[in-house]
């Protein structure tokens, strides 16, 4: 696990966008894993700007991490719409190459299995973007989630519903269930980049980076990932005991290692 501490969310977004750009230039048909929420928005803004300067996504494909269950098609808070609005409609990824779990499916388990099959058929995720919840969840893998889990339906804890209520008219409008890629699915991605900004994420960041690997903090499973990059601003890094070491390591990193 590499921990990189930067000055603010714009720097975090730029560095993550650098990794995506390098991947897409090296492998034009790259498979991207897309997160929603506030953390990846600077990344998407940066990638949209770079697309305007010639970065080509026409051969790439993308899979969203999760989707609410039961929101009608076109609902502005559905992750299908968020992914389109914030990223894929701003670049030239073909619409048929953008995949989101089907939260309106009549047979949810079958839809989850089909989503796993689609990722496998695409060759697996090359680079997965992640945020982290204040309780340490990634995707919608809430505390106590199995580290071996695959795409499935999950119930949201009330803290997560409260955290996400800002995207809805009120708390009552936030669904109680989601489809999410599992922790085992996320761990199968070849490169994982987790972004966290703001003091409200400091405890979760400390738990995932320096705490024990435990189901109470699902993101801690990334300690076992062979290529996990944790991008933080100063506020999100404020509880880390080894912050100075992480800064020193990044400042003296050989250029050939990349991100």
């Amino acid at each position: 696990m590499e921990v990189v501490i930067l000055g603010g969310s714009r720097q975090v977004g730029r560095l993550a966008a650098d990794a995506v750009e390098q991947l897409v230039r090296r492998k034009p048909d790259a498979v991207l894993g897309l997160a929603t929420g506030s953390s990846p928005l600077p990344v998407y803004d940066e990638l949209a700007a770079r697309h305007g300067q010639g970065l080509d996504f026409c051969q790439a494909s993308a899979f969203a991490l999760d989707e609410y269950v039961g929101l009608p098609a076109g609902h502005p808070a559905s992750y299908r719409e968020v992914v389109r609005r914030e990223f894929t409609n701003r670049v030239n990824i073909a619409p048929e190459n953008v995949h989101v779990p089907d939260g309106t499916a009549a047979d949810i388990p079958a839809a989850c299995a089909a989503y796993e099959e689609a990722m496998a058929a695409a060759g697996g995720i090359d680079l997965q973007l992640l945020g982290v919840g204040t309780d340490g969840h990634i995707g919608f893998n809430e505390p106590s989630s199995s580290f071996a889990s695959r795409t499935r339906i999950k119930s949201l804890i009330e803290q997560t519903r409260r955290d996400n209520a800002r995207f809805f008219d009120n708390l009552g409008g936030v669904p109680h269930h989601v489809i999410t890629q599992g922790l085992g699915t996320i761990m199968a991605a070849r490169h994982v980049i987790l972004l966290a900004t703001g003091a409200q994420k400091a405890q979760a960041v400390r738990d995932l980076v320096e705490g024990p690997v435990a189901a109470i903090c699902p993101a801690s499973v990334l300690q076992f990932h062979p290529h996990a990059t944790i991008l933080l601003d100063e506020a999100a890094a404020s509880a880390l005991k080894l912050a100075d070491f992480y800064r020193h390591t990044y400042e003296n990193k050989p250029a050939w290692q990349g991100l």
Side-chain angles (χ1 to χ4, degrees):
M1 177 182 286
E2 180 180 19
V3 179
V4 181
I5 302 171
L6 301 163
S9 61
R10 291 185 65 183
Q11 293 95 322
V12 168
R14 287 193 199 104
L15 193 58
D18 287 346
V20 175
E21 178 173 1
Q22 291 164 16
L23 170 64
V24 170
R25 291 193 184 281
R26 182 177 73 251
K27 184 181 179 184
D29 61 347
V31 182
L32 305 176
L34 303 180
T36 53
S38 301
S39 297
L41 295 182
V43 187
Y44 299 148
D45 288 343
E46 186 69 24
L47 290 173
R50 296 183 191 192
H51 170 64
Q53 298 167 1
L55 182 58
D56 186 6
F57 292 88
C58 72
Q59 296 182 55
S61 58
F63 288 83
L65 263 178
D66 36 41
E67 179 59 288
Y68 290 108
V69 170
L71 290 186
H75 191 290
S78 75
Y79 288 147
R80 183 175 298 276
E81 290 303 312
V82 172
V83 163
R84 287 175 180 167
R85 184 170 64 244
E86 300 296 347
F87 181 53
T88 61
N89 278 3
R90 302 168 69 190
V91 298
N92 62 332
I93 293 182
E96 61 271 22
N97 288 343
V98 179
H99 309 272
V100 182
D102 185 359
T104 64
D107 187 339
I108 293 291
C112 294
Y115 202 64
E116 286 280 337
E117 291 167 4
M119 284 186 281
I125 304 297
D126 290 304
L127 190 157
Q128 177 67 63
L129 295 174
L130 295 174
V132 62
T134 55
D135 62 358
H137 73 256
I138 50 176
F140 275 123
N141 294 282
E142 299 282 27
S144 80
S145 290
S146 167
F147 288 166
S149 55
R150 309 301 293 196
T151 301
R152 69 214 188 283
I153 189 170
K154 283 291 287 181
S155 297
L156 298 180
I157 65 172
E158 284 307 296
Q159 181 61 54
T160 300
R161 294 185 67 246
R162 287 194 295 270
D163 288 347
N164 287 6
R166 66 191 188 277
F167 301 116
F168 293 80
D169 292 335
N170 51 59
L171 178 60
V174 183
H176 289 266
H177 297 93
V178 292
I179 294 175
T180 184
Q181 291 185 33
L183 294 173
T185 310
I186 291 168
M187 289 291 285
R190 285 178 273 279
H191 185 191
V192 170
I193 297 180
L194 184 146
L195 312 102
T197 57
Q200 75 279 9
K201 299 296 179 71
Q203 186 60 51
V205 165
R206 180 173 176 178
D207 290 345
L208 81 91
V209 172
E210 297 178 341
V213 177
I216 195 65
C217 178
S220 66
V221 73
L222 295 178
Q223 293 181 33
F224 288 139
H225 197 283
H227 191 186
T229 306
I230 313 300
L231 302 183
L232 310 171
D233 69 358
E234 291 287 352
S238 61
L240 292 172
K241 291 184 177 180
L242 298 179
D244 288 342
F245 171 70
Y246 305 137
R247 293 187 186 95
H248 174 80
T249 300
Y250 183 67
E251 289 167 1
N252 293 279
K253 181 178 179 178
W256 57 264
Q257 283 190 329
L259 188 63

